């Protein structure tokens, strides 16, 4: 129920306006969002890259109201890709199709995606389409297929293990040779479309991960779930997969302890690094993922946050048995 309420709040413009004007909220947001400007994002990316971490950089924003806003968002990505190319950062970009105007003018959105993909290819990097809610799942998979048909083979997308349709999408995208980011899914979806119980979502994730480890060239596992991380490592080792042939992905600010441990153990790690001013829906989904975050959030609004409160209380080893 709490998760559902928070996910509804992610779409509330009044709450968004309040949150964006509050300096107290901003203090907590900094944990998840690397500043508002391109320079902030690039500075954070450069520091993380120096520590052996790859990135996928996201200019936060979604469901724009006009194609003018979509064009402005694409322009930020063009500049971002110039920075990535100039600095030879180990960073791709993550894009939400609705931020490029998918629900306003599909053809114009496709043109923006292909333009950004072409520039990303010139910089030698990937474009990952984030998977949004179920209203755009099929369209997003088709956008990847159309990009590949047009020669933009550096475009892939996320898939969400909570959706019942995902095993078929995973096969479809694997046959295409597209890069796939497997995640659990962050939206409130109805029971006829998505698993509702965490245990079912996790079971589905493991099933999809097993398929990808067997069939995909370079699968990307986006999770902070230590049991899943442990299971994927073991399964990959049993299949004789090289540690460099797949990667884990995590969110900026979430489980830095696990992030450090993976890199120290020689696993590939890519962080999803968001920056930009339209952080409210992204931030609210992060709160919804972990009820304890609300306590942390409330405390931060009433007291100056102390560094020792920022780390996750959970200490389970990422190698713990499944
Ligand atoms: C790189 C990346 C890209 C993603 N892209 C998409 C996408 O395109 N579409 C989409 O729908 N979803 C996306 N997600 C979000 C994803 O679907 C989940 O909502 C999110 O990752 C939480 O699931 P989990 O696998 O980490 O497992 P959980 O069981 O939710 O979490 C495991 C543990 O991780 C920690 N944790 C997880 N989330 C948080 C948090 N927000 N704050 C603090 N601690 C936390 C907690 O310790 C928790 O116990 C992405 C996630 C990642 C890591």
């Amino acid at each position: 129920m709490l998760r559902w309420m928070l996910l509804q709040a992610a779409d509330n413009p009044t709450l968004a306006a309040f949150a964006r004007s509050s300096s107290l909220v901003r203090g907590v947001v900094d944990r998840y969002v690397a500043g508002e400007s391109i320079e902030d994002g690039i500075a954070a990316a450069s520091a993380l890259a120096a520590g052996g971490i790859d990135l996928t950089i996201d200019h936060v924003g979604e469901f724009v109201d006009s194609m003018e806003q979509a064009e402005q968002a694409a322009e930020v990505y063009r500049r971002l890709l110039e920075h990535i190319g100039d600095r030879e950062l180990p960073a791709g970009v993550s894009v939400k199709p609705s931020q490029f105007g998918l629900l306003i003018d599909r053809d114009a959105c496709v043109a923006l995606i292909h333009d950004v993909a072409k520039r990303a290819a010139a910089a030698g990097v990937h474009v990952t389409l984030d998977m949004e809610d179920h209203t755009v799942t099929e369209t997003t998979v088709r956008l990847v297929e159309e990009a590949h048909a047009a020669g933009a083979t550096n475009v892939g997308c996320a898939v969400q293990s909570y959706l019942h349709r995902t095993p078929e999408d995973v096969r479809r995208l694997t046959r295409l040779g597209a890069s796939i980011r497997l995640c659990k899914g962050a939206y409130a979806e109805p029971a006829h479309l998505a698993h509702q119980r965490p245990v079912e979502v996790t079971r589905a994730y493991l099933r999809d991960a097993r398929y990808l480890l067997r069939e995909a060239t370079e699968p990307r596992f986006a999770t902070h779930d230590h049991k899943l991380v442990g299971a994927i490592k073991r399964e990959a080792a049993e299949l004789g997969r090289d540690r460099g042939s797949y990667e884990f992905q995590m969110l900026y600010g979430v489980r830095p302890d696990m992030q450090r441990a993976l890199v120290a153990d020689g696993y590939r790690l890519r962080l999803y690094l968001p920056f930009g001013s339209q952080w409210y829906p992204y931030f609210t989904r992060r709160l919804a993922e972990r009820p304890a975050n609300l306590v942390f959030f409330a405390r931060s609004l009433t007291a100056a946050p102390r560094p020792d409160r920022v780390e996750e209380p959970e200490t389970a080893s990422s190698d713990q048995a499944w």
Side-chain angles (χ1 to χ4, degrees):
M1 177 54 97
L2 187 57
R3 175 176 179 269
W4 184 86
M5 284 167 63
L6 280 164
L7 290 174
Q8 299 307 310
D11 296 330
N12 186 312
T14 311
L15 286 176
F18 164 74
R20 292 191 55 214
S21 65
S22 163
S23 56
L24 288 171
V25 175
R26 180 71 238 190
V28 186
V29 172
D30 286 346
R31 177 185 174 186
Y32 292 108
V33 180
E36 299 214 346
S37 67
I38 288 193
E39 289 70 25
D40 293 335
I42 290 293
S46 303
L48 289 160
I53 294 176
D54 292 351
L55 292 314
T56 179
I57 307 181
D58 170 48
H59 173 233
V60 285
E62 52 201 81
F63 296 105
V64 294
D65 297 323
S66 67
M67 283 317 291
E68 198 184 348
Q69 288 176 358
E71 170 53 38
Q72 284 164 5
E75 184 55 25
V76 174
Y77 276 98
R78 292 185 194 110
R79 286 172 39 219
L80 179 61
L81 284 162
E82 278 172 23
H83 283 283
I84 290 173
D86 290 349
R87 289 168 178 73
E88 297 183 357
L89 282 173
V93 293
S94 284
V95 173
K96 286 189 172 45
S98 73
Q99 188 186 17
F100 278 10
L102 178 64
L103 301 184
I104 301 170
D105 182 340
R106 188 187 193 281
D107 290 346
C109 169
V110 167
L112 291 179
I113 291 174
H114 289 196
D115 178 51
V116 166
K118 199 168 70 185
R119 291 161 195 261
V125 304
H126 268 92
V127 176
T128 304
L129 302 183
D130 286 344
M131 192 55 85
E132 302 177 81
D133 71 23
H134 72 269
T135 59
V136 293
T137 310
E138 176 61 24
T139 315
T140 303
V141 175
R142 286 206 185 149
L143 289 176
V144 176
E145 291 172 337
E146 287 166 27
H148 278 240
T153 54
N154 60 331
V155 177
C157 70
V159 293
Q160 299 152 323
S161 72
Y162 63 16
L163 289 184
H164 299 314
R165 60 172 284 158
T166 292
E168 181 45 38
D169 288 339
V170 166
R171 279 161 182 72
R172 203 168 143 188
L173 291 160
T174 302
R175 280 196 296 272
L176 187 66
S179 91
I180 301 173
R181 172 204 296 156
L182 179 62
C183 64
K184 287 185 180 176
Y187 297 81
E189 299 290 19
H192 69 283
L193 295 176
H195 299 292
Q196 304 293 306
R197 294 170 54 223
V199 66
E200 293 168 343
V201 178
T202 305
R203 203 178 292 138
Y205 191 110
L206 188 58
R207 175 205 57 210
D208 298 333
R210 285 186 169 131
Y211 176 85
L212 286 169
L213 282 170
R214 281 174 174 74
E215 305 295 337
T217 319
E218 206 179 353
R220 297 153 195 262
F221 300 109
T223 183
H224 320 88
D225 183 331
H226 64 273
K227 291 183 181 174
L228 280 175
V229 169
I232 289 165
K233 285 177 182 173
R234 280 193 302 281
E235 191 93 9
E238 280 165 25
L239 289 168
R241 271 198 92 125
D242 183 64
R243 285 183 189 185
S245 73
Y246 64 100
E247 73 182 18
F248 290 107
Q249 297 196 349
M250 296 192 184
L251 300 174
Y252 179 72
V254 177
R255 298 304 306 265
D257 53 340
M258 279 180 73
Q259 296 172 14
R260 284 191 292 270
L262 282 169
V263 174
D265 288 347
Y267 290 96
R268 281 175 53 197
L269 175 68
R270 187 177 298 274
L271 273 202
Y272 186 101
L273 183 76
F275 76 92
S277 58
Q278 303 298 313
W279 43 260
Y280 175 78
Y282 176 87
F283 172 66
T284 312
R285 285 195 292 276
R286 302 295 74 84
L287 288 184
E289 276 157 3
R290 191 153 185 268
N293 283 346
L294 266 189
V295 178
F296 169 84
F297 183 50
R299 272 200 205 129
S300 304
L301 295 182
T302 53
R306 288 181 2 213
D308 61 346
R309 286 188 182 157
V310 172
E311 292 283 330
E312 298 303 315
E314 192 169 343
T315 54
S317 152
S318 59
D319 283 322
Q320 193 171 317
W322 172 250

